[in-house]
Amino acid sequence: MKKKPRKKSKWMSGKKKGLPPGSLVYVGNRENQKLACQILDYNTSEFHEHSFNDPEKCLSFKDSESVTWINIIGLSDTEKISKIAKHYGLHDLLVEDILNTTSRPKIEQTEDYIFAILKMAWHEGDILHFEHITVVLGSNWVLTFQELSGDVFNTIRERIKIPSSKIRKSNADHLYYALLDCIVDNYFVVLEHVGDKLEDFEDELVDHAGHESFLKLQSYRKELIRLRRSVYPLREVISTLSKTEHQLISSSNDRYFRDLYDHTIQVIETVETFRDLMTTMFDIYMSGVSNRMNNIMKVLTIIATIFIPLTFIVGVYGMNFENMPELQWKYGYFLVLGFMATLAFGMLWMFKKKGWL
Amino acid sequence: MKKKPRKKSKWMSGKKKGLPPGSLVYVGNRENQKLACQILDYNTSEFHEHSFNDPEKCLSFKDSESVTWINIIGLSDTEKISKIAKHYGLHDLLVEDILNTTSRPKIEQTEDYIFAILKMAWHEGDILHFEHITVVLGSNWVLTFQELSGDVFNTIRERIKIPSSKIRKSNADHLYYALLDCIVDNYFVVLEHVGDKLEDFEDELVDHAGHESFLKLQSYRKELIRLRRSVYPLREVISTLSKTEHQLISSSNDRYFRDLYDHTIQVIETVETFRDLMTTMFDIYMSGVSNRMNNIMKVLTIIATIFIPLTFIVGVYGMNFENMPELQWKYGYFLVLGFMATLAFGMLWMFKKKGWL
Amino acid sequence: MKKKPRKKSKWMSGKKKGLPPGSLVYVGNRENQKLACQILDYNTSEFHEHSFNDPEKCLSFKDSESVTWINIIGLSDTEKISKIAKHYGLHDLLVEDILNTTSRPKIEQTEDYIFAILKMAWHEGDILHFEHITVVLGSNWVLTFQELSGDVFNTIRERIKIPSSKIRKSNADHLYYALLDCIVDNYFVVLEHVGDKLEDFEDELVDHAGHESFLKLQSYRKELIRLRRSVYPLREVISTLSKTEHQLISSSNDRYFRDLYDHTIQVIETVETFRDLMTTMFDIYMSGVSNRMNNIMKVLTIIATIFIPLTFIVGVYGMNFENMPELQWKYGYFLVLGFMATLAFGMLWMFKKKGWL
Amino acid sequence: MKKKPRKKSKWMSGKKKGLPPGSLVYVGNRENQKLACQILDYNTSEFHEHSFNDPEKCLSFKDSESVTWINIIGLSDTEKISKIAKHYGLHDLLVEDILNTTSRPKIEQTEDYIFAILKMAWHEGDILHFEHITVVLGSNWVLTFQELSGDVFNTIRERIKIPSSKIRKSNADHLYYALLDCIVDNYFVVLEHVGDKLEDFEDELVDHAGHESFLKLQSYRKELIRLRRSVYPLREVISTLSKTEHQLISSSNDRYFRDLYDHTIQVIETVETFRDLMTTMFDIYMSGVSNRMNNIMKVLTIIATIFIPLTFIVGVYGMNFENMPELQWKYGYFLVLGFMATLAFGMLWMFKKKGWL
Amino acid sequence: MKKKPRKKSKWMSGKKKGLPPGSLVYVGNRENQKLACQILDYNTSEFHEHSFNDPEKCLSFKDSESVTWINIIGLSDTEKISKIAKHYGLHDLLVEDILNTTSRPKIEQTEDYIFAILKMAWHEGDILHFEHITVVLGSNWVLTFQELSGDVFNTIRERIKIPSSKIRKSNADHLYYALLDCIVDNYFVVLEHVGDKLEDFEDELVDHAGHESFLKLQSYRKELIRLRRSVYPLREVISTLSKTEHQLISSSNDRYFRDLYDHTIQVIETVETFRDLMTTMFDIYMSGVSNRMNNIMKVLTIIATIFIPLTFIVGVYGMNFENMPELQWKYGYFLVLGFMATLAFGMLWMFKKKGWL
């Protein structure tokens, strides 16, 4: 029961079933996140930073002549989100996508804007998080919608503050590129983290492969499945961007978008390599388990194979027949003991020779 | 024997073998469903709802100027179906497809209509149902053929009744879109349900993996196979629609069909993710089974390995040799008991060290 | 040794190695089938049926104005086959294909004819048969070459006899379509049969999974492999036909060929689904086997784990030490019996708790 | 150590590392094969056969007006090979390929010649051999380079001797086709052989699946891997040929090359089918092994399960307590024997009921 | 902890996260490699070799009329690298790629240069190394950046010194080709080495398959995964080069680049074949393990099955009943011994017949 909300955000939501398309419903599990609005407005010579709780105040920046980055945090207040989005000219169906955190990465271009939905990935301790993010490029503004405060863009904020930075000297399209680059770069961090985890885990697997490590392995597998789900559509998005000839993107940025595409490919290839490693690890686990099992069976077999015949022999001389000549022999007992010792060592020697020990 | 009828509808039917193409034979297992006809006729200002048992009455709506949705329920009366279909200009081969509930999703366009066959999926308790549905778009009418009364379109019926709704203000092509959207959206509901079931089931698998859970797993697998069978051709259908430049679909609806296509892709990706999860679960099951088996073997080995040598020792002193000095020792019995206890604890300690306990 | 002839027809034949291309050699295993010739000659108003043993008599129908279907049965008399084929204008390499029953389905178009090689599938009891069939469409004749008498075309023969049938009113291209449709439709019958068999078999597998059921499973697998081999190239053939713009096929039949293509796809998808089911069944088999094995091991473990310690105890009191105080106790025997009963029930209770019973 | 030379020819050679491209080095393991030269010179009316040890003598045939097939055997004398090749206009890089028996099948076209490298496959007893062969088509000559004397072309040689044969009446392009056809046809022979071997082997597997049959299975697998390696690039080569519009190939031969392509596809499909069979066989092997193991375990379990409790009982009455009333009973011994017999048969009956016997 | 640096270079680095694109950071683990500069300057008649520690001195060669190969060794001094790169006209993003040893092989063409990043592979004993290398072709210079001194190009250096060599007579594009050819050729050496290792290892596996060989197998697998990672993008790079019509590459070198492409394909196919072999080996390992296990179980079963009933029998005559007639028989003991011997041999004979021995 208590897992329900988590599940909804993980797969997809049937919550909107039956509503007309373009209905504005927040699909996610951060209902309590308050709406906030961060604005960075700059050109080569000036730089202004604003922060509002009332998102209406950010509407006026649409027509400013300087480059403006409007960052909206919190998606639960659907009406306000919708108002902002519409002010910046976005279609109802796109607003729906902004609000639906289960919708997949996509790109949509019109004459007036380039609209991209992405998944931002980061690690918090050992837990991999994904955040739904929308990045829209307009004439001289960039609009981003996030579910949570806190993101991977702090370095961009720092760079904007430096007057001599390339970003300050460029148009909104370079800011757009920088944001996407930042998201993709963060996948590198995540993948490096995952790679380290996997390698540590492999050492663990080789040493002792229990059912617990198996369950851990399965959880890693599912993490990778989720990573793939968010990374694969990313390729489409970035590929479209790197090939597009949109008027909003100046040709001098082409090279940057192509570079971004190369990085995306590298991310995907690494995810694929991790999947191969997963299979390798699964085999290591299986082999470890069967190896341990075999060792256990070997011990059982050796013990049983040595003692079962011996027990038979002592059983023979435990029989109560009246006429059993050996029983009267003076050294019968010691002869039998000696014979059994010989037998036991003979078998041990045989096992050794067969390589069972 | 008693399963035969179910099977027929599941795979494909050889019932029609040898009949000329375009022969009108109902292939399905709802022979008793009476034919019924629901009509919703509307334009921006007016709205009429009709319900007939005699389907002939719906023929007249073809040329009405308002938008008409003619919903035919029940496919077993092939003659009447054929009469309606032909009145609306459908080719014999298409009527054959309407009646054959085992035929796969497809789309067919002529100048006068767009003809689509789909599978509607829904859950009834834990059982996944599929219903064969035909959706035809004409100049200002939409014709649907269903096997059963009861469908996923009630929300659309509600929206049509609201004069201010987008659907009321639009032409038949928007109704067409709305119906398809409704079918695709329902896959989300189904997938959410399946996702929940799979997650609950995974917990069950981790806790106790018996042969019963395995059979359950296999039934889920088959459910997914069936889902894929109905979802994959759906992509083709929707993709064709989203790319077509048919005169019956106004370009303002293009964006909606593209959105629909995105949803279809998301449905397919989720089905694929579920298949990956299936593999993961199968591995969990296998590991659980082998883990339990190993535990059982471990217990056997430990018990046997400890007691087999002990039994041998007591056997030795059960022998009836006349000359066995130890037997006369005063504390021989206790010495042996002590030795055996030492041996047993020694072995337990060794097992502990080897990590078998 | 005795399998040789069957093998040859199953894979491919090296019999023709070194002969010049276009050499006419019958590759098959029905050497004794006599050549026979069935002719159906019809137009809207007239219908004639002929049957010859001497195939030369069918040469004259090439230039008749009515539509003629010339059906040649038996391929072992290569010379006569060649004579007929050449009279109807077929190239040497095609005659070679007609005679080689191991050659794969293909289509070849020239200005004068459309030449298709297919595999006809049908069930005889539980055994799946494939027959090599050639279907050639000429200006107003259709030529078919079969290996055996008896085919799937009887319903077409019936339809031709009915003056009002579509086939009677159409040209040779519709007859051509009807023949291909008949062949594809028969795959539906075969697949329905296979589907039924597989479902029955699955029930069998769930109930008792022995090595015999496994071998049966493998034989089904091979049957599917053979089915795929004949069905996959079929797609190419029908696809080519449905896209071709050959003068011999009037555009009014386009829709029919497209419908045929849809059916072919459905056949292929069903074969693929069966392959998925096969995997599922293999897993069911494996799980069933390992489940049974586990149950056997559990019984062994429980019996052994309970009795091995008990046997040790009775062994202790079977020792012949002179000084064993317990032996003189009046109720020693009963105390030991009681202790052993307690121990046994204690272990049973523990097993129950661990879920092993 | 002694395997080194075989390995080199199997994978690829690093022997040429660091040499300039186009360096003429023989890579293979038939260093001792003497160079020989066979020449067949013919036109419709005449036929001449020559055989030289000195390859220089074959240079003069380049400009003869009749069709000439120059067959060079032995590749170890790189200088002479190079001389001939250059005389016939081949580029240095191609000569390198002629000499490198590890290079993969390829085709290269220039205005003056069509150059193809292929692998010829044949069986010698049960061992599959591959031979590197180069086939070059020039204006009116065909040049072939083989590693060894002895090939699959004898039937072509016979056909050339017959004045009325198609080959005699045609140009060099038909000879070229005939040679390639011969090579592809030989794959049929090889595959038939492999198919027979696999079927015999499957029977063997079903009957007794030991580790030896497994190793045999693996060797077959590797044989198939090698077959694929030589067959797959063949498709590219033949496909290019069948689509090319080279001036050296008259359009009347198009049909022949297309036919050849069909055969190549059939070869590849059969190899793929064999791979599927391999998987099936592996499963048969695994199932056979586990089946045998299960039978062994069953016997152990039954024996142990019956005798362990009985041994316990006889142990009870082997105890030396002074007060054991049953021991004094007159028929105590027989009662116990009877009880144990009952117990044993009861357990056997239970096993029978559980289907373990 | 101590593995960290190795890991970084293996997957990808998050070190650069947040830096502006084009930031020059060395990502690798050869921080101590001093920068060095080797220059080979030549034309048909002259040849000069220079070696500097100060890379600035190599700037002047850009405009020399002779062909110049500038080889820069050591990437840790990012500033100097950047200075050289910029002097030769490379874009910032490309300099970033030169310095990032985890970036994947790629090719980038502008009007002025062709920029390629590759991985150079070589063996040092049994350890496979990869080195990041950048190869840039300019108007009459080739610029290479390596991480380490020591490379695979010595043979090229030798060839350049020979005045009559093709390389001396050609332009910079041929040198460029020669360098790439050298890198690809070295993969052949690596693959031959790997092939030898795998074959030796297979023999080892067949003889004794322990957990250690399994871990070795896994390490080979991972080596192959890494090989694929560096080889696959290589195909793209070489394919682009072989198809490009860049002004810097004269058409006379086209054939060389096509030949290079063929070699690359062969490298990739061999890697794929090795992967197939890996699977085969894994199966051999699994079969070997299960075979050994089965042998162990067989021995246990045979010993237990023979001795358990015998032990029961001796237990029977060890009972202390007063009335056990057999005990008084004169030859009772010998009869029992005889009976047990018969039983034991009978069972052995039965096992033999069942093929268990």
Side-chain angles (χ1 to χ4, degrees), chain C residues 18 80 84 95 99 116 134 160 200 205 213 253 331:
Chain C
K80 286 182 184 166
I84 300 168
V95 182
L99 294 171
T134 312
I160 291 178
D200 288 353
L205 266 183
S213 12
N253 275 317
Y331 299 107

Side-chain angles (χ1 to χ4, degrees), chain E residues 35 73 90 196 254 288 298:
Chain E
L35 195 73
I73 295 157
L90 303 185
D196 286 3
D254 275 8
K298 245 186 339 204

Side-chain angles (χ1 to χ4, degrees), chain E residues 199-248:
Chain E
E199 264 184 33
D200 288 353
F201 180 56
E202 192 182 324
D203 295 349
E204 189 187 322
L205 266 183
V206 170
D207 289 352
H208 41 81
H211 193 55
E212 291 70 32
S213 13
F214 172 72
L215 294 177
K216 209 166 156 188
L217 179 65
Q218 291 316 101
S219 77
Y220 287 157
R221 247 197 208 176
K222 286 204 276 182
E223 207 170 282
L224 275 183
I225 290 177
R226 285 173 68 207
L227 250 177
R228 285 185 79 214
R229 260 171 81 91
S230 65
V231 164
Y232 262 82
L234 191 66
R235 171 159 59 176
E236 282 171 51
V237 171
I238 306 292
S239 158
T240 308
L241 269 175
S242 72
K243 284 178 206 143
T244 196
E245 300 197 346
H246 198 284
Q247 52 153 342
L248 288 175

Side-chain angles (χ1 to χ4, degrees), chain B residues 217-230:
Chain B
L217 179 66
Q218 290 316 100
S219 77
Y220 287 158
R221 243 197 211 177
K222 286 204 276 183
E223 207 170 282
L224 275 182
I225 291 177
R226 285 172 68 205
L227 251 176
R228 285 186 77 215
R229 260 170 80 91
S230 65

